[in-house]
Structure formats: structure tokens, C-alpha cells
Amino acid sequence: MRAARPRFSIQTGQQFAAWPDLVRIWQTAERLGYSAAYTYDHFMAVMMDPYDPCLEAWTTLAALAVETTRLRIGVLVTGNTYRHPAVLAKMATTVDVVSGGRLDFGIGSGWFETEHVALGIPFGGTRERCERLDEALTIIRALWTQRATTFAGRYYHVANAIAEPKPVQRPHPPVLIAAGGERRMLRIVARHADAWNAFGSPEVFRHKIAVLAEHCRAEGRDVDSIEKSVLVPAAIGEDEERWAPLVQGYAAFQGISPAEARQWMLLGRPADLVRQIEQWLAVGVTHFVLTLTPYNFSVLEEFAAEVMPAFR
């Protein structure tokens, strides 16, 4: 998944729009030349009224697969805690087949405890969720590549498990792991990932990529073999007052100051965004995933027209 030049993609939360609007923004992104589009994995609205409608990620993704033809597609990212890995492997294979081999398999350890409690899904501590993810990825990759899989771990067990058909992509769809924890999660990235996604400023990424490189050395891998991507809110324009609610909301969500949040975002005129992107590129980030509400077509279109051409 390494890119010779930066890639630009979008993430659309299913809580923001009716189905026809969601289809329209994905088809618009495809027409405008974005590389990929991703759903997110929540069963209830996040950072909004929890009673707002929110479609399930993987069934939505399967439907969007048949509404697009060129976009890479995926969930950014699947919460490992929500589904047994053998079931998830089958779901991912199905979407890869339906899409003609366009799936990016995004996964993380799971983080939204409120949702787990509400739905009666065991959450567990940080260490347990990391260990579960490590085991799950071992099972999933085996099911994608082996004739039959047997695995007996602390959390998951499969016995002579058969998973046919295999994914279209060989040896398997690219594994994209979202992770921030430096001791456990970045080690799992080094062990399993083709791509890594996180939040943060260029300086945050500079530090974390150095940590990831150490884990890669321990795993016998080259850190450059893993694509680095940032999930980043974007706003285009000169009116800083219009950005204020976006900055304040993002700062509250991340638990950081508004000043720091601005360094984690793309804000300003198109030329400003180009300079900001170049700062991430300088530390090794090559994939930029814009978090957009599906109604925000103006940012989607202006970014494609005024920012993306600078990197072609």
C-alpha cells in the first residue's frame, strides 16, 4: 500500500446523512479522484445526539461497494471487540469479492466504552483489548490464506476452520490498523499491518513513527513497508470564526487544547492546506483521510480542485 505520491481519501460517519446522500458523496468522491472512502464502526451516533440514526458499518460498506467502481473501500476502523474474528474474516472476504478486490481491511482494538456498556458487549481493559486484537489478526490472516485454520489462544479458538472463498486480493486485503498506544498497539502494527492510521500533528507522527520503527526492527520488518495515514478534519476558507466550532469540538473529543487541535487539522485557504500537508509528508505520512459530514460537498469539491492538484 506504499504510495509514490500522497493519497487523499474520505471517512463518512453513517450518522450524518440519509442513505441517498451517503451514496451521492461516495460517488462524488470517486468522480473527483479520491483514492478511498471509509465508513466508521459505531452502532449509535458519536459526538452527537445518540438517538440520531446510525447505520451499521459493514452492511453499509457492502451496499456502497456496488454503488462505486474504482474507490478503495473500507471501515476506518472496525472495533475488534464487536465481532468474532472468524465471522469478521468472512464478512471482509464477502466485501472484497463484491467490490472486485477493493477492500482495505481497517481494524482497531475498540475504544467507545459507553457503546459497549449500552449494548452488553464486554469491553475489557486496555491490555486485554490489545491482546484480543493480536489474536484476532492472527486468525483472520490465517483464514484468508490457509486451507484450514486451527488456533487456540487466550481469547479466541478455532478448530480446523474453513473459510472459502478466499479474498480476491492476494495474499489478502491490506490490513490497516488504527493505533496510538506506543508500547502495545504500535507493536501490533509492526507485526500485522500493511498500513497504519492515527490522529495527530506532524510532530506527533514524527515521534510515533520513530517508535514504530523500533517495533518493526524487533519484528524483522522495514518501517517503510507500512503506509502511514492521518485521519484529519478539514475546513477551507478564510473565516476563522466558521472554524471555531469545529476546532472546539475536535479539541474536546481528543482531550487537547484548541491551539493543539489546530495542528491536528487542515484549516485555511487551499495554499495553507498544501503547506500543512507538506509538513506531514516531511515526517513520512503519505495518506490523508478527511473526516467529512456527508452534507459537506463544498469542502470535498474544493479540496479536490484546489489542493489535490498540487501533489500530482
Side-chain angles (χ1 to χ4, degrees):
M1 293 183 66
R2 292 183 64 189
R5 60 187 182 185
R7 298 199 295 137
F8 299 100
S9 302
I10 64 169
Q11 182 205 52
T12 54
Q14 300 85 259
Q15 69 194 43
F16 293 115
W19 172 246
D21 297 311
L22 194 53
V23 171
R24 188 161 66 95
I25 198 166
W26 278 48
Q27 291 177 339
T28 300
E30 183 169 76
R31 174 177 56 81
L32 293 173
Y34 285 86
S35 176
Y38 303 101
T39 59
Y40 78 174
D41 194 18
H42 291 290
F43 297 90
M44 59 180 66
V46 179
M47 296 186 294
M48 296 177 67
D49 183 343
Y51 288 93
D52 285 349
C54 183
L55 298 175
E56 192 276 329
W58 277 93
T59 46
T60 298
L61 187 65
L64 288 166
V66 301
E67 297 285 355
T68 56
T69 59
R70 297 186 306 277
L71 280 174
R72 300 288 304 177
I73 63 172
V75 179
L76 191 61
V77 289
T78 309
N80 177 62
T81 45
Y82 296 134
R83 303 166 187 85
H84 190 280
V87 174
L88 181 58
K90 176 62 73 172
M91 293 165 57
T93 295
T94 300
V95 172
D96 198 49
V97 170
V98 168
S99 68
R102 292 185 285 129
L103 177 69
D104 293 342
F105 180 70
I107 193 167
S109 63
W111 67 273
F112 194 28
E113 185 174 8
T114 300
E115 191 168 54
H116 289 73
V117 172
L119 300 178
I121 299 171
F123 186 61
T126 301
R127 178 171 181 172
E128 177 184 331
R129 296 198 307 280
C130 292
E131 291 174 348
R132 282 183 176 273
L133 178 61
D134 192 21
E135 287 191 13
L137 282 165
T138 300
I139 291 171
I140 290 166
R141 293 170 68 193
L143 288 168
W144 282 340
T145 57
Q146 297 177 6
R147 182 172 175 82
T149 298
T150 296
F151 178 88
R154 181 175 181 181
Y155 304 101
Y156 302 115
H157 307 266
V158 293
N160 199 33
I162 298 168
E164 297 294 340
K166 300 304 183 193
V168 172
Q169 299 178 87
R170 299 299 174 89
H172 54 70
V175 174
L176 188 165
I177 299 176
E182 296 177 9
R183 187 158 64 95
R184 294 191 180 97
M185 284 298 293
L186 290 184
R187 182 65 176 265
I188 293 171
V189 171
R191 183 172 299 149
H192 293 287
D194 301 293
W196 163 57
N197 180 266
F199 307 101
S201 66
E203 285 306 309
V204 168
F205 272 88
R206 185 192 303 276
H207 169 73
K208 289 188 182 293
I209 289 170
V211 174
L212 178 60
E214 289 296 321
H215 287 306
C216 284
R217 278 189 280 273
E219 293 290 331
R221 294 190 66 190
D222 181 354
V223 69
D224 289 338
S225 69
I226 300 172
E227 183 187 59
K228 292 86 177 171
S229 65
V230 58
L231 187 63
V232 57
I236 300 177
E238 299 185 19
D239 185 0
E240 296 197 20
E241 291 186 4
R242 288 177 52 200
W243 309 341
L246 180 64
V247 173
Q248 293 286 348
Y250 192 59
F253 175 65
Q254 295 290 354
I256 56 179
S257 70
E260 187 176 5
R262 291 175 64 96
Q263 304 304 310
W264 293 29
M265 305 170 75
L266 292 171
L267 300 170
R269 297 166 299 177
D272 299 322
L273 271 63
V274 169
R275 286 192 292 270
Q276 292 158 16
I277 289 166
E278 288 172 342
Q279 293 174 354
W280 270 290
L281 289 172
V283 301
V285 176
T286 58
H287 189 188
F288 298 82
V289 184
L290 310 184
T291 57
L292 298 173
T293 67
Y295 297 111
N296 201 342
F297 284 88
S298 62
V299 171
L300 185 73
E301 292 169 346
E302 190 169 359
F303 189 91
E306 303 293 335
V307 179
M308 285 164 52
F311 300 96
R312 289 177 182 152

